[in-house]
Amino acid sequence: MPLHKTQKPKPKPRPRSPLLFFFFLALAAITLLFIFSSLISTNKIFTFKNLTPKQSRNRHVFSSNDKFLYWGSRIDCPGKHCESCEGLGHQESSLRCALEEAMFLQRTFVMPSRMCINPIHNKKGILHQPNNASSEESWDANSCAMDSLYDMDLISDTIPVILDDSEIWYQVLSTGMKLGARAVAHVEQVGRVELRDNSHYSNLFLINRTASPLSWFMECKDRNNRSAILLPYNFLPSMATKNLRDAAEKIKELLGDYGAVHVRRGDKIKTRRDRFGVDRSLHPHLDRDTRPEFMVKRIAKWVPAGHTLFIASNERTPGFFSPLSARYKLAYSSNYSHILDPVVKNNYHLFMIERLIMGGAKTFIRTFKEDDTDLSLTDDPKKNTKKWQKPVYTDEEERR
């Protein structure tokens, strides 16, 4: 009787150890992290190539470790001013606010490449007013290049900045798209302290604030807290481009020892009638205090007779300040058109130069007092008190 061999059953495969599975998983994760780090360290994800000569000589050397802050392509926007365009002062308040946040967060700020100019703020006025032309003549421009106003290298000495039409910004956007949600966040109603201290935000490559429904400067609405202000009011005026600074220096040399006064009339002297037909104003003394016969009494103790007085004003009436010539040698921007014409293309350029000239005066008198130490033409508060009062035009009315 033949014997049949009994086949041994094949051994079942042994289940893999869970420890081995996690070992391979960890190894894969480390490998991916190494590859990702290598890409960054060799600048294959975020490179700075094809930079213009101006960008390559920027005092701030950009690297793959930089983090960025974006507030949108329009200053003072989003918010109530998106459909209009405020004056340079409002726009600088917004820009200063954004720069302060970038400084606080130690991030590179993405600067809008253009500054809008409302036609109201782009009148040629004193400088380019032909003898037979109306003072309403305007420059044909509704915006200007940001780097025609401000020196980006100078600003970058304090807060690194790039323009939103630059090669660097396009590379930042490209990197953000590759990294996705891990590196980019659109923030709204998040304070700067949380953006700095919360690792969810602080480790992000790019923070975008355009989600905010507020105007830019509303993010800094605690500016009355002086200790919270990182940049002084005169920071942006001192950041003017080199050609504007050079023009101002040439005029200052020609002026010699001079005083300066900024007379703000056109946009501030507004009246409306109450229900009894009586005119009311938010600045009841302003019209009176900025007229030559009252100005001369106010400034006599600050600027001696016979001195040169440089006047910058938005007053459109030709010869309005001529009565002051009985006591002072008057100077206006129009006296230096041979210096200004080659560099001034809009009213913002002109105002930037005038501010530098006024800042260099031995005695500078503002329209409104902005600080306790300021000299001013009027004692009316600059801020809108929303209190409409009857205008005062004479000294006699004050004594009643």
Side-chain angles (χ1 to χ4, degrees):
M1 188 172 169
L3 296 173
H4 296 281
K5 289 183 179 179
T6 306
Q7 292 189 357
K8 295 181 180 179
K10 291 182 179 179
K12 292 182 180 180
R14 295 169 102 191
R16 289 182 181 176
S17 167
L19 291 175
L20 194 60
F21 172 78
F22 284 115
F23 171 79
F24 283 113
L25 187 64
L27 186 62
I30 291 170
T31 303
L32 286 172
L33 184 61
F34 176 79
I35 294 171
F36 181 73
S37 301
S38 299
L39 286 171
I40 292 180
S41 64
T42 57
N43 285 337
K44 290 180 180 177
I45 282 185
F46 186 34
T47 60
F48 294 103
K49 56 187 179 181
N50 302 324
L51 301 184
T52 65
K54 184 174 182 180
Q55 290 170 329
S56 63
R57 68 172 180 267
N58 193 296
R59 296 187 181 104
H60 176 77
V61 180
F62 294 98
S63 73
S64 58
N65 295 321
D66 277 20
K67 296 175 183 177
F68 297 84
L69 177 67
Y70 181 64
W71 277 51
S73 59
R74 269 279 307 273
I75 291 181
D76 206 12
C77 196
K80 61 183 179 181
H81 299 303
C82 276
E83 301 304 320
S84 64
C85 182
E86 290 297 295
L88 182 62
H90 281 90
Q91 294 184 75
E92 283 192 336
S93 292
S94 290
L95 184 53
R96 193 166 57 248
C97 172
L99 289 169
E100 281 186 357
E101 180 160 293
M103 188 178 181
F104 183 82
L105 299 176
Q106 296 185 332
R107 287 177 173 268
T108 296
F109 180 65
V110 184
M111 181 93 79
S113 56
R114 299 197 69 80
M115 174 86 85
C116 71
I117 309 177
N118 191 307
I120 294 174
H121 303 293
N122 207 19
K123 301 290 176 62
K124 292 193 175 181
I126 294 173
L127 177 62
H128 284 279
Q129 188 177 339
N131 293 331
N132 59 350
S134 163
S135 62
E136 296 301 306
E137 186 184 2
S138 299
W139 275 283
D140 185 19
N142 58 11
S143 70
C144 67
M146 189 70 76
D147 58 4
S148 75
L149 293 171
Y150 305 107
D151 187 323
M152 299 299 145
D153 287 347
L154 269 183
I155 294 176
S156 290
D157 283 346
T158 305
I159 313 105
V161 296
I162 62 172
L163 292 170
D164 70 0
D165 64 350
S166 64
E167 178 71 21
I168 297 174
W169 175 232
Y170 296 141
Q171 293 180 44
V172 170
L173 290 177
S174 175
T175 303
M177 291 175 66
K178 291 175 183 176
L179 300 180
R182 296 170 296 167
V184 181
H186 304 271
V187 301
E188 184 175 353
Q189 297 179 343
V190 181
R192 61 175 61 174
V193 174
E194 185 174 358
L195 290 178
R196 182 193 64 185
D197 297 342
N198 187 331
S199 60
H200 174 70
Y201 300 111
S202 61
N203 293 327
L204 291 172
F205 174 65
L206 172 64
I207 291 176
N208 173 22
R209 260 216 189 273
T210 44
S212 172
L214 301 173
S215 298
W216 275 28
F217 64 86
M218 291 301 291
E219 299 288 351
C220 295
K221 58 186 176 182
D222 64 341
R223 290 191 66 85
N224 289 329
N225 177 8
R226 305 302 295 181
S227 62
I229 297 175
L230 302 177
L231 296 173
Y233 171 81
N234 65 354
F235 176 75
L236 284 170
S238 67
M239 295 293 113
T241 56
K242 187 177 186 305
N243 63 335
L244 300 182
R245 298 197 310 270
D246 288 347
E249 286 301 318
K250 290 176 184 177
I251 294 173
K252 284 157 64 176
E253 286 180 15
L254 294 173
L255 285 169
D257 184 8
Y258 67 99
V261 58
H262 181 217
V263 191
R264 192 170 175 182
R265 284 179 55 83
D267 63 327
K268 287 292 184 180
I269 300 176
K270 296 178 182 178
T271 60
R272 73 179 187 188
R273 290 186 175 178
D274 62 18
R275 56 188 180 134
F276 303 108
V278 177
D279 284 341
R280 302 278 178 177
S281 173
L282 291 171
H283 306 284
H285 304 90
L286 181 61
D287 190 7
R288 181 199 69 179
D289 292 344
T290 53
R291 291 179 179 271
E293 59 269 29
F294 284 88
M295 285 175 58
V296 73
K297 290 188 288 186
R298 179 89 167 190
I299 70 176
K301 56 191 173 187
W302 302 323
V303 184
H307 275 222
T308 299
L309 183 66
F310 179 82
I311 300 176
S313 177
N314 59 357
E315 173 58 49
R316 300 297 166 188
T317 305
F320 183 83
F321 298 106
S322 295
L324 289 168
S325 62
R327 183 177 175 87
Y328 302 109
K329 299 172 187 175
L330 302 185
Y332 307 93
S333 298
S334 56
N335 301 134
Y336 307 98
S337 56
H338 64 289
I339 296 173
L340 298 177
D341 281 347
V343 296
V344 170
K345 307 304 178 187
N346 55 62
N347 209 40
Y348 280 12
H349 291 157
L350 174 60
F351 187 49
M352 295 282 283
I353 293 172
E354 286 184 331
R355 285 195 306 194
L356 292 170
I357 295 170
M358 291 186 286
K362 184 175 182 179
T363 304
F364 173 42
I365 304 157
R366 302 177 186 272
T367 302
F368 300 96
K369 188 184 289 289
E370 296 183 7
D371 205 345
D372 292 340
T373 59
D374 287 344
L375 304 178
S376 65
L377 294 175
T378 184
D379 293 323
D380 285 352
K382 181 180 179 181
K383 296 296 182 183
N384 189 345
T385 60
K386 298 184 179 179
K387 185 178 180 182
W388 291 84
Q389 304 174 59
K390 189 176 179 180
V392 176
Y393 295 104
T394 66
D395 285 336
E396 286 72 22
E397 291 176 86
E398 291 280 78
R399 288 192 283 267
R400 288 176 190 171

